[in-house]
Every structure is written in C-alpha cells, then in structure tokens.
C-alpha cells in the first residue's frame, strides 16, 4: 500500500510540475513574442485569457504590471535596470541548468550511477535551483502579478518533485543517503540547517494541509511585496499628475520641464478644441510623453513608413522635439481612480490624440488624431 501511495503521489507531483512548468513557459513566451516581429499575431493567443481576467474586478489586477515596462528611465536605479537584471538572471540560470544537465546525461551515457561531483558536490538539485533563478529573472523582465504567482507555484512544484526523487534515489543508489546528509537540497547545508528546527507534521494529511497553508502564506507575502514595489515604481516615474490626468515621461526629464510642456500644450487652442469631446468628469487619462523619434509598440501612436516600434532609451533620442500621446485609461469593473491611482489601477488605454511639439521654439508642430490600436486590438498590455 505504501508503494502504491508513493507511486500515486509521485504521479500527482510530476503532473503538477509539468502543468506549472507549461504555464510558466507560456508566460516566458509572452515576453519573447512581445519583442518579436510577430507580436501582434501571436498575442491573439493570450488575448482571450487576459480579457477574461479583465472582466471581473476580483481578477483584473492579476494582469497588471507591478514594475515598469514602457517607461525606460526612472528615478530609481533598480527600477530603471530591472529588466537587464532579470534577463541576466534568466540567461545565467538557463546556462547553469545546462551545466547540471550535461553532468546528468554524461553519467547516464557512462552508466556510472548517481552524480555526486561537480556542482552536485555543493547542492543536490542545482538544475531546479537554476530554473528557479531563471524563472525569477523572468518575473523581473515580464512583471505581471500572474507571472509572479506562477513563479511561486513552480518553486513549490520543484521542491516536492525533488523530495520524491530523493526518496527514489536513496533506494536505488548506495551512498545517496549519506550524500543527502552532507549537502543541501537547494542551498548550502549551513543555511538549510536553519529550516530543520521547524515543526514537521507526521501524518500525511497534516503535511498536505501544512504545505497548502505555507503556499498560501508565501503567495500573500509575495503579493504585498509586489504591491509595495508597484507603488515604489510609480513614485519613481517622471510624471505630472492631476486629479484626472497622468502625464508619464518615458525618459528622464525634470518635473518643472514636464509641467512647462503640459502648460504649453494645454494652452494651445487647437489642442483644447481637439480634446473638448473628452471632457467627461468620469474619464481619466494616461498621457505618454517621449521624444518624437521614439516609437513604442505598447503605446498606440503614428508609426511612419519604414519605422519599427522598439524599446530604445529615450535619452538617446533628440530632446528638442517631443510628442504627447493622449489616451483614455481603462480600469477593471467598478473602478474609478484619481491622481496617482490612475497608474496604479489602470489595465489598458485607448489612444485619443497625438501632439508633436518643438521644445526649443515652443510651438505645436502637428496634431494627429489617433486610430484604434492596430497591433493589440484593445487587449490588455502594460500601461507604464
């Protein structure tokens, strides 16, 4: 009976592992296609799921970003470079995974039994640890709340799968039990030793309920940490905020300069006339400010023929000619934000107007009436 239970538990754990791995793989794929020429086409695969989550106020926040994706330059060094840090962790973890995999498959080809040397001399599951590091890197690169929760789920799946594999290895390989006593599962023994003092239920269902409670607690802790990062990120953007509008600069610019540009644009009679139909007090705006030569795919805008939307650094562009893309902020059901909360709660935006200005001569160069987003067709994409 014990063997049947172990076999059943192993199958359940493996199924959970591959399900969560597939889920997280799709999330990682979302990031890569967003930077590919086929983004608009492949995004239709994810669109229905994101739109479904956006139908309810209880789930719409899951698709929000808690770190910037559109704004490239911020007042925080970490927030500015979080994608670079994340990509470094992602690639580093993937390379470490390949190193561990090479040791395992070399041992299998030689039929030399369990691997105790190399990186396995320090921890028993370097491949799972590498995948955790890589997954955390993806959280920083593509920081939706949904991605964060997927990361936690995958980590728990790795832990239980590692436990099951160790029970099997202790039966199959001589010396594996002693090896376990001298090494850590994912961290050095000196660190993991601290967790040995935690109480461990003896009954199977007690262990299951304890694990479930721990999983929920970790999700709650990671959620509150992400919310704090979300607020920290918004506080460190270059913005000009009123009760109904947020002017968000994608690059570094002084607050007084943003206010000056906003005043110049709002004072222009042509701009005022173009915006008069959007004076409903219930409407909220997210207005993106950037060099005129910068074109970003997640901000619906006029794209000249031959230009390709990118995520280049705004500071590298001509700072004399700017543009502001006025867009109506969209929220989840039963949400009505004001001021800074517009950025914190918005899940999408609808383009309205595009104003090109010459900062040096203080003139409005042109006004373009925005068309609906042709790439993502209103599907939820990052808003800051």
């Amino acid at each position: 009976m014990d063997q049947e239970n172990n076999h059943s538990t192993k199958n359940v754990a493996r199924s959970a592992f591959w399900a969560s791995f597939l889920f997280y793989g799709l999330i990682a794929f979302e990031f890569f296609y967003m930077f590919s020429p086929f983004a608009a086409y492949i995004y239709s695969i994810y669109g229905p799921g994101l739109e479904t989550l956006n139908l309810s106020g209880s789930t719409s926040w899951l698709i929000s970003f808690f770190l910037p994706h559109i704004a490239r330059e911020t007042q925080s060094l970490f927030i500015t470079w979080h994608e670079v840090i994340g990509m470094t962790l992602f690639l580093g973890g993937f390379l470490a995974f390949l190193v561990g995999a090479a040791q395992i498959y070399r041992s299998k080809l030689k039929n030399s039994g369990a691997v105790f040397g190399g990186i396995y001399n320090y921890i028993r599951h370097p491949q799972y640890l590498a995948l955790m590091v890589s997954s955390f890197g993806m959280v920083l690169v593509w920081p939706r709340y949904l991605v964060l929760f997927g990361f936690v789920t995958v980590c728990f799946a790795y832990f239980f799968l590692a436990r099951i594999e160790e029970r099997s290895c202790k039966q199959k390989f001589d010396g594996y039990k002693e090896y376990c006593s001298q090494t850590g599962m994912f961290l050095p023994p000196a660190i993991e030793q601290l967790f040995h003092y935690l109480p461990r239920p003896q009954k199977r269902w007690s262990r299951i309920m304890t694990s479930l409670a721990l999983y929920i607690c970790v999700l709650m802790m990671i959620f509150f940490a992400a919310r704090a990062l979300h607020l920290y990120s918004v506080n460190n953007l270059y913005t000009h905020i009123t009760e109904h509008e947020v002017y968000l600069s994608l690059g570094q610019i002084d607050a007084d300069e943003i206010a000056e540009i906003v005043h110049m644009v709002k004072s222009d009679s042509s701009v005022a006339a173009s915006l008069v139909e959007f004076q409903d007090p219930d409407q909220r705006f997210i207005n993106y400010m950037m060099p005129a030569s910068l074109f970003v795919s997640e901000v619906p805008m006029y794209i000249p023929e031959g230009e390709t939307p990118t995520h280049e650094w705004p500071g590298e562009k001509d700072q004399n000619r700017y543009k502001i893309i006025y867009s109506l902020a969209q929220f989840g059901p039963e949400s009505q934000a004001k001021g800074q909360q517009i950025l914190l709660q918005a899940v999408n935006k609808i383009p309205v107007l595009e104003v090109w200005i010459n900062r040096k001569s203080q003139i409005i160069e042109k006004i373009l009436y925005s068309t609906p987003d042709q790439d993502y067709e209103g599907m939820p994409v990052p808003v800051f």
Side-chain angles (χ1 to χ4, degrees):
M1 183 64 69
D2 288 339
Q3 290 181 345
E4 290 180 0
N5 287 336
N6 287 337
H7 183 71
S8 175
T9 303
K10 187 174 183 178
N11 287 337
V12 170
R14 284 189 179 277
S15 298
F17 164 73
W18 286 114
S20 58
F21 187 81
L22 176 62
F23 166 76
Y24 210 82
L26 290 172
I27 291 171
F29 183 57
E30 181 189 4
F31 162 74
F32 286 108
Y33 72 65
M34 286 293 283
F35 279 89
S36 76
F38 308 103
Y41 301 100
I42 306 177
Y43 201 78
S44 61
I45 299 173
Y46 290 82
L50 296 177
E51 289 177 326
T52 299
L53 290 173
N54 196 32
L55 291 176
S56 170
S58 60
T59 58
S60 60
W61 59 273
L62 282 167
I63 62 178
S64 300
F65 279 63
F66 57 88
L67 289 172
H69 178 68
I70 297 175
R72 302 299 295 170
E73 299 169 2
T74 72
Q75 300 176 63
S76 165
L77 189 63
F78 167 71
I79 298 300
T80 297
W81 291 96
H82 76 272
E83 288 187 359
V84 176
I85 296 170
M87 186 55 69
T88 301
L89 291 174
F90 175 79
L91 294 176
F94 184 68
L95 289 175
F97 170 81
L98 293 179
V99 171
Q103 285 190 247
I104 291 293
Y105 283 100
R106 183 176 62 182
S107 174
K108 287 185 176 182
L109 290 173
K110 292 183 176 182
N111 197 26
S112 55
V115 178
F116 299 120
I119 57 176
Y120 286 86
N121 187 47
Y122 303 98
I123 55 176
R124 301 192 295 277
H125 301 280
Q127 285 182 282
Y128 289 157
L129 176 62
L131 288 175
M132 290 181 199
V133 171
S134 190
S135 297
F136 181 69
M138 186 52 59
V139 171
L140 295 180
V141 172
W142 205 237
R144 291 188 192 272
Y145 285 94
L146 192 62
V147 179
L148 181 64
F149 294 158
F151 163 70
V152 173
T153 302
V154 166
C155 287
F156 269 77
Y158 288 151
F159 172 77
F160 289 113
L161 187 59
R163 289 283 298 272
I164 291 170
E165 288 181 354
E166 287 185 358
R167 284 200 295 267
S168 176
C169 287
K170 287 177 182 178
Q171 296 175 359
K172 292 173 58 178
F173 302 111
D174 293 335
Y176 194 86
K177 186 173 182 179
E178 182 182 357
Y179 165 70
C180 289
S181 66
Q182 297 173 350
T183 56
M185 180 179 283
F186 301 113
L187 300 171
I191 297 177
E192 288 197 356
Q193 189 67 32
L194 299 175
F195 298 99
H196 292 173
Y197 297 102
L198 297 176
R200 297 184 180 183
Q202 298 300 315
K203 294 184 178 180
R204 183 167 177 262
W205 280 107
S206 295
R207 291 197 300 270
I208 292 174
M209 296 305 296
T210 300
S211 299
L212 180 60
L214 179 61
Y215 173 70
I216 294 173
C217 287
V218 172
L219 284 180
M220 292 178 63
M221 290 171 59
I222 210 76
F223 165 74
F224 286 115
R227 289 297 292 178
L229 267 179
H230 196 163
L231 180 60
Y232 177 74
S233 297
V234 171
N235 283 333
N236 280 277
L237 298 173
Y238 294 102
T239 58
H240 175 77
I241 299 176
T242 67
E243 184 178 2
H244 294 153
E245 294 181 301
V246 173
Y247 287 84
L248 169 60
S249 175
L250 305 194
Q252 181 177 355
I253 183 171
D254 186 82
D256 292 336
E257 292 181 278
I258 299 179
E260 183 181 339
I261 293 173
V262 170
H263 176 73
M264 180 182 68
V265 172
K266 298 285 280 188
S267 299
D268 184 85
S269 58
S270 298
V271 175
S274 300
L275 292 172
V276 70
E277 63 179 293
F278 303 103
Q279 298 304 310
D280 187 331
D282 290 333
Q283 291 179 331
R284 302 292 184 264
F285 281 85
I286 299 177
N287 307 320
Y288 298 92
M289 184 181 298
M290 69 194 79
S293 57
L294 180 64
F295 305 98
V296 182
S297 59
E298 290 90 352
V299 181
M301 65 181 71
Y302 166 70
I303 307 292
E305 186 175 351
E307 290 285 352
T308 301
T310 63
H311 282 264
E312 297 177 275
W313 293 88
E316 299 175 354
K317 299 292 185 178
D318 181 8
Q319 300 298 304
N320 288 322
R321 298 178 67 245
Y322 255 61
K323 61 187 174 187
I324 299 178
I325 291 85
Y326 284 83
S327 64
L328 287 171
Q330 289 186 303
F331 305 92
E334 303 176 358
S335 178
Q336 185 64 13
K338 293 183 180 180
Q340 188 186 67
Q341 293 297 316
I342 296 173
L343 267 186
L344 289 170
Q345 297 181 19
V347 295
N348 211 350
K349 66 272 183 186
I350 301 174
V352 171
L353 195 71
E354 188 169 331
V355 181
W356 290 46
I357 60 178
N358 189 307
R359 295 177 62 191
K360 190 173 183 180
S361 59
Q362 296 286 295
I363 62 171
I364 305 296
E365 291 189 339
K366 57 184 173 182
I367 299 175
L368 303 172
Y369 292 90
S370 301
T371 57
D373 187 355
Q374 299 299 314
D375 288 334
Y376 304 117
E377 300 179 356
M379 288 179 285
V381 293
V383 297
F384 74 102

